[in-house]
Amino acid sequence: MNIDSIKNGIVIDHIGAKKGMEIYEALHLKDLDCAVAIITNAKSEKMGKKDIIKIDQDINIDMEVIGFIEPNATINIVKDGKLIEKRGVQLPEKIVNLAKCQNPRCITSIEKDLDQIFTLTDKENQVYRCKYCEMNLK
Ligand code: ZN
């Protein structure tokens, strides 16, 4: 892949089409001072279409956030214009405040200060269950 626009930074590749923006928002990339590029609908032999995010700075990114939104993503670490590391992500076992429980009777719907905690109960189908009311996340 083309990494020529980045000297030191991170390229998040193999993001499903249209999920790039979701990851951009979830990682709060708009708060960075460095250049961030989102490429949408890039051609991919494997996926048909994909999104790519390029971050022109070596920041600490939250792999769990990326894994939750796009478990097939690849993280490429670029240093001095060279790809030095490729990392996969995986579905996190537990997510905190990445999603909201949809159950109106759930305690998190009433107690707004409570953390929204979900645990992975079915890896195959990416099913997460609310820690409090045990309703599945849709
Ligand atoms: Zn709940």
Side-chain angles (χ1 to χ4, degrees):
M1 76 158 286
N2 185 13
I3 51 166
D4 58 3
S5 54
I6 288 191
K7 267 237 139 35
N8 293 293
I10 295 158
V11 178
I12 309 169
D13 198 3
H14 302 116
I15 304 169
K18 315 280 181 222
K19 283 186 179 170
M21 209 56 211
E22 210 178 320
I23 291 179
Y24 179 87
E25 302 268 346
L27 292 177
H28 306 290
L29 296 181
K30 68 171 180 336
D31 299 334
L32 294 175
D33 289 327
C34 66
V36 178
I38 306 183
I39 297 132
T40 56
N41 295 329
K43 279 201 186 101
S44 162
E45 276 176 30
K46 204 162 64 176
M47 306 165 70
K49 278 177 181 173
K50 66 176 181 179
D51 288 359
I52 304 163
I53 298 176
K54 296 182 180 189
I55 304 160
D56 199 11
Q57 191 178 306
D58 189 11
I59 57 160
N60 265 328
I61 47 169
D62 194 328
M63 308 282 271
E64 294 205 336
V65 170
I66 300 170
F68 174 61
I69 299 171
E70 180 50 273
N72 299 311
T74 316
I75 316 288
N76 300 288
I77 316 285
V78 180
K79 209 169 178 199
D80 296 324
K82 289 193 189 83
L83 178 64
I84 58 156
E85 200 184 331
K86 231 182 212 307
R87 256 187 245 166
V89 293
Q90 47 186 304
L91 278 177
E93 292 292 328
K94 187 174 103 173
I95 55 166
V96 180
N97 295 330
L98 281 181
K100 276 195 172 66
C101 184
Q102 298 302 314
N103 180 1
R105 284 188 297 271
C106 180
I107 187 155
T108 60
S109 298
I110 300 149
E111 303 279 335
K112 302 288 181 197
D113 293 339
L114 273 182
D115 282 335
Q116 300 266 347
I117 301 171
F118 293 86
T119 47
L120 183 62
T121 52
D122 180 350
K123 205 170 178 178
E124 194 89 6
N125 299 303
Q126 294 189 27
V127 178
Y128 282 88
R129 183 169 291 169
C130 177
K131 179 194 157 187
Y132 306 97
C133 71
E134 304 203 324
M135 188 185 254
N136 286 345
L137 185 64
K138 285 183 205 78

